[in-house]
Amino acid sequence: MPLTREQIAARIAKEVEPNFVVNLGIGIPTLVANYVASDKNVFFQSENGLLGVGPFPTESEVDADLINAGKQTVTALPGASFFSSADSFAMIRGGHVNLTILGAMQVDEMGNIANWMIPGKMVKGMGGAMDLVAGARRVIVAMQHTDKAGVSKLMKECDLPLTGRKCINKVVSDFGVLDITSEGFVLREYAPDLTPEKVKAATAGRCVIAPDCKPMVL
């Protein structure tokens, strides 16, 4: 079976290094915080102006004025900082965010990402993704490998409007872990119930199976 959303998040948490400043996109990325050990001293940043985002609140802790960029209520850890959106985006554009983890509708073998609109459908706004893919030092995408019809979302070339060009370093999907290199997608790990050949067959873009490719350890 492909990975669950929680398993994708748990695998990505292993990419988070101690003392990193990390920005999490909406959806699966927000789950990553649940799997990062507190002794790593990681600072989660939200582009609406908060550094030191804590866990989601219990019912008794909910403060309607304390939200992340996805409008979810959050908590603030001791020592957290609050600042303007202008300062927050200066932090992102200035290269002070070590890692951003985003969802995507499509990625391609060149490292392009499309995650903000489908032509003809209502768009609420692109959020901070365009700044994050341009300003963060490293970008990881958390996504489903195929759509509901089984069509690959890891493509030769995105056909939806792009969020950023040649900016993605790694994809962690429900099928596996793939780096993006000059050779296209390089499969490093695969979901335990799949095989490298099945993941490659489900990938529309160029995909090379790494010599040391192994099943994911969750």
Side-chain angles (χ1 to χ4, degrees):
M1 292 289 291
L3 303 185
T4 65
R5 290 162 55 90
E6 295 282 351
Q7 289 173 319
I8 294 172
R11 174 58 187 84
I12 293 176
K14 297 180 180 180
E15 303 290 328
V16 179
E17 298 181 20
N19 303 312
F20 261 16
V21 173
V22 180
N23 184 292
L24 302 176
I26 62 174
I28 296 173
T30 60
L31 302 175
V32 173
N34 297 337
Y35 297 96
V36 177
S38 58
D39 61 4
K40 281 191 172 181
N41 198 33
V42 171
F43 299 88
F44 290 105
Q45 190 250 19
S46 182
E47 60 262 36
N48 59 327
L50 173 58
L51 180 65
V53 178
F56 289 117
T58 62
E59 187 173 345
S60 63
E61 295 174 325
V62 169
D63 178 347
D65 292 326
L66 189 56
I67 59 173
N68 63 18
K71 298 182 176 58
Q72 297 169 305
T73 53
V74 295
T75 58
L77 296 175
S81 298
F82 298 88
F83 35 84
S84 71
S85 291
D87 288 333
S88 186
F89 278 89
M91 182 184 299
I92 294 167
R93 294 168 185 171
H96 303 291
V97 173
N98 299 97
L99 171 66
T100 186
I101 302 164
L102 300 171
M105 292 180 281
Q106 297 175 344
V107 296
D108 68 30
E109 64 185 38
M110 294 173 285
N112 301 324
I113 177 173
N115 79 342
W116 69 283
M117 76 167 295
I118 297 175
K121 293 194 174 182
M122 185 180 73
V123 178
K124 293 183 178 179
M126 64 184 70
M130 289 185 177
D131 290 273
L132 286 162
V133 298
R137 298 179 194 175
R138 185 169 175 78
V139 182
I140 296 177
V141 169
M143 64 186 297
Q144 306 297 323
H145 207 95
T146 63
D147 65 18
K148 293 180 180 177
V151 177
S152 180
K153 298 166 72 174
L154 278 65
M155 309 177 71
K156 182 172 182 58
E157 185 174 358
C158 294
D159 56 19
L160 292 175
L162 293 182
T163 307
R165 293 183 180 276
K166 298 182 178 179
C167 53
I168 305 304
N169 302 107
K170 184 183 291 287
V171 175
V172 180
S173 78
D174 52 342
F175 282 21
V177 179
L178 304 97
D179 287 333
I180 298 178
T181 73
S182 58
E183 298 179 277
F185 297 104
V186 177
L187 180 63
R188 303 291 185 189
E189 301 175 26
Y190 55 94
D193 292 341
L194 301 179
T195 65
E197 290 73 23
K198 286 183 178 179
V199 180
K200 182 175 181 178
T203 306
R206 283 182 300 161
C207 182
V208 175
I209 300 173
D212 58 349
C213 185
K214 58 189 179 184
M216 297 170 72
V217 177
L218 302 170

